[in-house]
Amino acid sequence: MKTGKKLALYFAAALVVTGAAFAASLAVGRYPIDWAQLAADGMDRRVFFTLRLPRTCMALLAGFALGISCLLYTSPSPRD
């Protein structure tokens, strides 16, 4: 398998795993959320938009930032 195809496969797998973790983080919590009730103005909607969605987005951004900082920290400098 060529390196470009292998890299694309790894990238696609990483996106799938990240998407699954994002969806699981939205679904997991102390109070079960009825996904049909998110359109109505109720407790499910408030819990989802004030707790779970911001928590998940911040965790995703923090993970991306840590990954990028590790990549930059460990990559060789252009002068080497």
Side-chain angles (χ1 to χ4, degrees), residues 3-78:
T3 305
K5 286 185 179 183
K6 188 181 271 189
L7 183 64
L9 181 64
Y10 288 149
F11 185 71
L15 282 177
V16 168
V17 169
T18 302
F22 189 84
S25 179
L26 290 175
V28 173
R30 183 173 184 198
Y31 302 106
I33 288 184
D34 184 16
W35 297 104
Q37 294 295 325
L38 284 181
D41 189 29
M43 184 60 78
D44 290 343
R45 183 179 174 91
R46 281 182 271 172
V47 166
F48 183 80
F49 285 109
T50 61
L51 296 175
R52 291 192 187 177
L53 190 61
R55 173 192 68 188
T56 303
C57 289
M58 287 304 297
L60 186 70
L61 288 174
F64 282 151
L66 286 171
I68 290 171
S69 67
C70 181
L71 174 75
L72 294 175
Y73 185 70
T74 59
S75 62
S77 66

